[in-house]
Amino acid sequence: MASSPAAPTRRTLLRTTAATAAALPLLPTPAHAAPQSSRGTELILLGTSGGPVPMHGRAGIASALVVDGRVYLVDCGPGTFGRYAQAWLTAEQLTAIFVTHLHSDHLSDLYALLWLRFGGFQPLEGPVDVYGPGSAGNLPAVWPKGRSVGTVSPSEPAPGTEDLIAGHIAATAYDINVRMRSEGWPDIRTLIRPHDVRFPLPKGAGPRKLMAPPMEPFEVMRDDRVRVTAVLVEHPPVFPSFAYRFDTADGSVVFSGDTAPCANVARLARGADVLVHEVMDLDTLALGGLRPAQLRHMEISHTDATRVGPLAERAGVGTLVLSHLVPGATNVVSDSTWHTKASKGYSGRVIVGNDLARLPVGSRRT
């Protein structure tokens, strides 16, 4: 079918064949298989779609890193609560949650996951640490300039992770109090430990300044299974926005969070075994009738699939996993299209993320 390379048609962008799709490298373990061992490190993609709008075939963004049977979650987008159970993960395994930034599609199921499991059948085993951005301090400037925009909660217009959790608990106090009195559920405040991630602020960084000036990774937490470090990433106008790196005895996994191509991500991912990076298909989005402000946001805040390969190559990662796919619908952009675009400029293995797929990470080092 003939089409202009500079302006591909929608049919050209979406076209694929069964043979091409079958040839793509897939995650090796069946999506619905139960974990086989409590030892080692495994990446599970719970949800792989970006944005708050439901997408055919994919739930909202969420990833689980399972280390020696303990679960470390990165983001909790729409659908995480159900996908977590479908992945054969239990509440008692949940150890910590890491939020990359405070956009709705990354935290819509955060409180639900904890609130619905703090007591009763198969509840949380112990305190779950929740790490995420603190308050931005200031709101971003209005764009385009000159528009009149109201402010919700003007006394606290930019709450961070700690205040977010406190607000959720206060808003659901009746249910919590009733269950504590009538069903013997524990005090939820003893089971959630929120942490505003604190970090050395690079010169010039801020909600109305630079989103992600050059910086060295900083430590967020560590325990006897994992060390977690982070950097600021380029996701205007949301500040701060983080990428996280998890170093385990088996290998290293990096999650980009939402970001435009960013040198800080390449620095954080240097030599990692796996880089889980967000991608969008800007060609398809341009055909989708987005308003100018929406399209501008996508262009400056996200990474087109054709630009992620060179970043992964520069970082020297062994495997590039595509997630937070925009648009995420499996009947709009095919896996073969994602794979072809992301492979440009990258010599490693590319895996197109699909919900509930699993990937063993490295091998246990003595």
Side-chain angles (χ1 to χ4, degrees):
M1 179 179 296
S3 62
S4 169
T9 66
R10 181 176 178 84
R11 180 173 296 179
T12 301
L13 288 170
L14 306 185
R15 186 182 182 189
T16 186
T17 65
T20 300
L24 295 176
L26 301 175
L27 294 179
T29 307
H32 295 279
Q36 299 299 309
S37 172
S38 62
R39 294 281 293 171
T41 300
E42 182 181 40
L43 169 64
I44 306 176
L45 304 178
L46 300 180
T48 53
S49 179
V53 179
M55 287 286 165
H56 175 81
R58 286 189 171 95
I61 185 66
S63 305
L65 195 68
V66 186
V67 185
D68 293 343
R70 304 302 300 179
V71 176
Y72 301 82
L73 276 183
V74 180
D75 288 329
C76 296
T80 301
F81 182 83
R83 286 288 197 244
Y84 187 91
Q86 288 177 285
W88 297 84
L89 300 174
T90 65
E92 67 178 2
Q93 290 176 275
L94 186 56
T95 300
I97 302 173
F98 297 82
V99 178
T100 59
H101 64 291
L102 299 178
H103 255 153
S104 59
D105 58 318
H106 290 252
L107 47 74
S108 64
D109 275 21
L110 169 62
Y111 184 64
L113 188 67
L114 302 167
W115 177 31
L116 300 179
R117 301 299 294 274
F118 81 94
F121 181 64
Q122 296 182 342
L124 298 171
E125 181 181 67
V128 177
D129 291 293
V130 180
Y131 298 90
S135 173
N138 297 316
L139 294 175
V142 173
W143 188 90
K145 294 180 179 180
R147 290 192 301 124
S148 176
V149 178
T151 300
V152 174
S153 187
S155 63
E156 191 179 18
T161 300
E162 293 176 5
D163 288 335
L164 175 77
I165 295 296
H168 275 306
I169 292 174
T172 55
Y174 180 69
D175 172 84
I176 294 168
N177 287 326
V178 166
R179 293 190 184 279
M180 289 168 60
R181 283 160 172 74
S182 65
E183 301 176 51
W185 286 29
D187 189 331
I188 195 172
R189 294 171 296 181
T190 67
L191 293 174
I192 307 176
R193 295 191 299 217
H195 308 272
D196 288 348
V197 173
R198 291 171 172 80
F199 59 97
L201 190 67
K203 184 177 180 180
R208 296 198 179 194
K209 301 177 182 177
L210 298 175
M211 297 288 108
M215 70 182 304
E216 291 300 316
F218 59 90
E219 185 172 284
V220 175
M221 66 81 72
R222 71 164 69 203
D223 59 21
D224 57 352
R225 291 173 293 269
V226 65
R227 177 176 183 257
V228 183
T229 50
V231 291
L232 288 170
V233 299
E234 190 74 22
H235 189 51
V238 180
F239 180 89
S241 294
F242 299 128
Y244 292 107
R245 174 174 177 140
F246 293 75
D247 288 294
T248 78
D250 303 298
S252 303
V253 181
V254 175
F255 300 88
S256 73
D258 280 11
T259 182
C262 181
N264 282 344
V265 174
R267 184 177 296 109
L268 182 71
R270 190 173 296 137
D273 296 272
V274 179
L275 170 60
V276 183
H277 203 290
E278 69 117 90
V279 285
M280 65 172 172
D281 189 322
L282 196 56
D283 289 335
T284 299
L285 293 176
L287 296 172
L290 292 181
R291 294 192 301 273
Q294 292 176 308
L295 194 58
R296 173 183 178 271
H297 168 74
M298 300 305 297
E299 290 173 338
I300 67 175
S301 301
H302 294 278
T303 301
D304 186 67
T306 59
R307 301 184 65 188
V308 71
L311 185 147
E313 185 74 14
R314 187 163 68 252
V317 299
T319 297
L320 171 62
V321 176
L322 310 181
S323 194
H324 194 277
L325 304 163
V326 178
T330 55
N331 61 342
V332 173
V333 180
S334 68
D335 283 6
S336 61
T337 296
W338 289 118
H339 187 272
T340 298
K341 290 190 173 188
S343 296
K344 294 178 180 178
Y346 178 56
S347 59
R349 178 172 61 154
V350 175
I351 294 174
V352 180
N354 281 285
D355 292 11
L356 299 177
R358 320 176 83 100
L359 175 66
V361 177
S363 59
R364 180 53 49 99
R365 296 188 289 269
T366 58

